[in-house]
């Protein structure tokens, strides 16, 4: 693949790298548990081509809104291949999902009312999300003294018990699982071990007979010196085994761990400016919005591809984006060869929460290429166009 054959800016999806991640996580889980499922986190990267590849690799689609649910269905997922979380469900998709055998985890009180519209002569399984306060479950991993969550039903406040009471009066509905997703900055296996133990205590307290435990996401993926998939699987198993629950169907919902490393972002230098003081600004056709939508990163896994030979060194070069914002600056080069118009810069490990959070700001969505196992590169999403923004008449 010649990077100069690609139109920039663009994302590049490495199919083999994606497959390695999925299969690696599945192998780690299957070494510990009899029944496991991996939910592809659509919110983390909703590229339809990647969603279809996830299904080919045996993943379920983990969706958190009616729009994502419909997108998953359009990508070929059947209801029983979908995990439906979050407060942004619609009644229509909720009822279809529950009736079709999806893993549906209750998140909002209005969903309890929708359960009453299910056929009375059927039998339906439902899950419920348990609220996790990290400060109480694993203080070393907490962000402050009260690292609470706005998601799930709290056992501490009594809302979880109230939720169970509402379900008990529905003879055609059975509580089949718990969803305990919570993410920490540390992403250490000990947090998963402790949160699973907390959930197990709730299960025993209320005498729940579950089929599955949905542990959620938040795992490290490819980073050297960080926990690997086997570490997480072992921690989850150890905690369940101590409570006699190792036979449960274990569900994970990795986002960053699966989709970050398969995606790269390729940009081109489109202008060079020299200002007073000797600083050089190299403007590219990409943007910080494309690879760092939360504006939190202090550095990027980047590679410069120069189109010709040796050049003089420059004291300071600032690589910036194409927007009209002063803070659209990505990184700096000190004492390195001069950049020229037409040079290209590749950013790696940028597949998580980038494409889904790309704004319609100044430049519309970049095109996306995929690279298959034979090294063939092909376009799987065209770039955005002004005509894509539909104008409705009165």
């Amino acid at each position: 693949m010649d990077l100069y054959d690609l139109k920039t800016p663009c994302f590049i999806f490495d199919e083999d790298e994606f497959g390695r991640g999925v299969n690696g996580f599945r192998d780690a889980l299957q070494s510990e548990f009899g029944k496991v499922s991996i939910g592809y986190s659509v919110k983390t990267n909703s590229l339809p081509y990647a969603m279809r590849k996830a299904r080919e690799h045996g993943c379920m689609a983990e969706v958190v809104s009616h729009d994502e649910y419909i997108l998953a269905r359009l990508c070929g997922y059947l209801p029983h291949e979908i995990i439906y979380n979050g407060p942004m469900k619609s009644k229509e998709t909720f009822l279809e999902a529950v009736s079709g055998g999806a893993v549906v985890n209750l998140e909002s009180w209005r969903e309890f009312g929708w359960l009453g519209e299910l056929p009375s002569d059927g039998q339906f399984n439902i899950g419920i999300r348990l609220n996790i306060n990290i400060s109480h479950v694993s203080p070393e991993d907490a962000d402050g003294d009260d690292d609470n969550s706005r998601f799930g039903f709290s056992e501490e406040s009594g809302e979880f018990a109230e939720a169970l009471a509402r379900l008990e009066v529905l003879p055609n509905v059975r509580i089949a699982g718990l969803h305990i997703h919570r993410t920490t900055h540390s992403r250490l296996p000990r947090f998963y071990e402790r949160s699973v133990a907390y959930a197990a205590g709730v299960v025993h307290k209320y005498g729940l007979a579950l089929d599955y435990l949905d542990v959620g996401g938040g795992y490290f993926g490819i980073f050297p010196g960080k926990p690997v998939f086997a570490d997480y699987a072992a921690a989850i198993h150890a905690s369940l085994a101590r409570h006699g629950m190792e036979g449960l169907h274990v569900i994970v919902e990795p986002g960053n761990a699966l989709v970050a490393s398969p995606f790269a972002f390729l940009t081109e230098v489109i202008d060079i400016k020299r200002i007073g003081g000797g600083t050089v600004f190299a403007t590219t056709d990409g943007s910080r919005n494309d690879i760092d939508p939360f504006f939190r990163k202090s550095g990027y896994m980047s590679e410069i591809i120069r189109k010709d030979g040796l050049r003089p060194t420059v004291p300071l070069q600032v690589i910036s984006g194409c927007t009209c914002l002063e803070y659209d600056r990505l990184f700096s080069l000190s004492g390195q060869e001069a950049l020229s118009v037409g040079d290209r810069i590749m950013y790696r490990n940028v597949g998580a929460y980038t494409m889904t959070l790309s704004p319609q700001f100044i430049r519309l969505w970049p095109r996306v290429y995929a690279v298959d196992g034979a090294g063939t590169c092909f376009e799987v999403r065209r770039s955005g166009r002004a005509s894509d923004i539909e104008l409705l008449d009165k």
Side-chain angles (χ1 to χ4, degrees):
M1 177 181 65
D2 188 343
L3 295 178
Y4 277 98
D5 290 336
L6 307 183
K7 296 179 180 180
T8 61
C10 64
F11 286 96
I12 304 169
F13 175 54
D14 186 331
E15 294 184 13
D16 281 358
E17 176 67 18
F18 179 69
R20 282 191 289 272
V22 173
N23 294 331
F25 211 152
R26 180 181 292 110
D27 290 345
L29 291 168
Q30 288 180 338
S31 70
E32 301 282 358
F33 300 100
K35 186 173 183 182
V36 299
S37 294
I38 296 176
Y40 177 86
S41 175
V42 174
K43 64 181 175 294
T44 310
N45 192 306
S46 59
L47 179 70
Y49 188 81
M51 292 173 62
R52 293 190 183 104
K53 282 297 173 184
R55 186 170 184 264
E56 290 178 13
H57 284 289
C59 292
M60 301 178 74
E62 189 261 325
V63 303
V64 293
S65 71
H66 54 270
D67 288 324
E68 288 188 354
Y69 179 89
I70 293 169
L71 178 60
R73 296 286 280 119
L74 290 172
C75 287
Y77 288 87
L78 300 173
H80 72 272
E81 298 172 316
I82 295 175
I83 304 164
Y84 205 176
N85 296 321
M88 197 56 187
K89 305 178 183 79
S90 68
K91 182 170 71 171
E92 293 74 19
T93 56
F94 175 86
L95 293 174
E96 177 184 292
V98 174
S99 300
V103 173
V104 181
N105 294 311
L106 298 173
E107 176 60 60
S108 65
W109 288 113
R110 64 177 183 166
E111 296 165 29
F112 289 80
W114 298 341
L115 289 172
E117 300 188 28
L118 291 167
S120 59
D121 58 350
Q123 189 64 44
F124 305 96
N125 290 328
I126 201 75
I128 184 168
R129 184 165 181 176
L130 176 65
N131 180 272
I132 300 289
N133 187 316
I134 299 176
S135 299
H136 300 168
V137 172
S138 187
E140 297 94 329
D141 299 299
D143 186 10
D145 294 331
D146 190 20
D147 193 354
N148 59 21
S149 172
R150 67 186 184 92
F151 299 109
F153 297 91
S154 170
E155 202 279 327
E156 297 175 12
S157 73
E159 282 203 334
F160 185 80
E162 181 182 347
L164 296 183
R166 292 195 187 190
L167 294 173
E168 285 176 359
V169 301
L170 299 173
N172 58 338
V173 174
R174 172 179 169 265
I175 303 171
L178 282 187
H179 182 212
I180 61 170
H181 172 73
R182 192 74 206 275
T183 301
T184 67
H185 294 303
S186 67
R187 301 189 183 190
L188 293 177
R190 71 183 179 198
F191 171 72
Y192 295 90
E193 187 169 357
R194 293 170 183 176
S195 61
V196 167
Y198 176 73
V202 172
V203 169
H204 289 311
K205 177 178 178 179
Y206 293 97
L208 302 178
L210 303 182
D211 296 333
Y212 71 84
L213 180 68
D214 186 340
V215 186
Y219 314 95
F220 276 115
I222 64 166
F223 297 99
K226 300 297 184 181
V228 297
F229 297 143
D231 297 327
Y232 296 112
I236 294 168
H237 181 270
S239 193
L240 286 175
R242 281 196 296 271
H243 294 84
M245 297 169 58
E246 66 272 26
L248 286 180
H249 174 192
V250 172
I251 300 173
V252 294
E253 301 164 354
N256 184 82
L258 294 186
V259 299
S261 62
F263 282 88
F265 187 61
L266 183 65
T267 67
E268 183 168 287
V269 177
I270 60 174
D271 192 42
I272 300 291
K273 280 194 173 73
R274 293 169 177 81
I275 65 170
T279 301
V280 171
F281 280 92
T283 301
T284 65
D285 55 7
S287 166
R288 192 174 176 188
N289 289 323
D290 296 306
I291 61 171
D292 187 13
F294 296 118
F295 283 67
R296 295 175 181 169
K297 296 180 180 178
S298 57
Y300 307 95
M301 298 172 61
S302 59
E303 175 188 359
I304 297 173
I305 304 103
R306 291 179 170 85
K307 62 180 181 179
D308 49 31
L310 293 175
R311 304 173 188 174
T313 59
V314 177
L316 179 62
Q317 299 177 87
V318 179
I319 289 77
S320 57
C322 60
T323 71
C324 296
L325 300 174
E326 281 287 2
Y327 57 79
D328 190 5
R329 308 181 186 199
L330 293 106
F331 65 98
S332 298
L333 298 175
S334 298
Q336 296 193 32
E337 289 184 44
L339 291 168
S340 297
V341 171
D343 288 343
R344 298 201 157 185
I345 301 174
M346 176 85 86
Y347 301 89
R348 302 190 184 278
N349 198 41
V350 294
Y353 296 103
T354 49
M355 298 165 67
T356 51
L357 289 172
S358 293
Q360 300 178 70
F361 180 67
I362 297 180
R363 192 216 67 228
L364 299 182
W365 307 282
R367 61 176 41 83
V368 183
Y369 295 95
V371 181
D372 63 19
T376 304
C377 186
F378 47 96
E379 190 172 336
V380 295
R381 187 184 78 179
R382 65 171 174 80
S383 59
R385 302 170 183 171
S387 58
D388 294 331
I389 303 174
E390 183 181 7
L391 176 64
L392 297 179
D393 296 324
K394 291 184 179 179

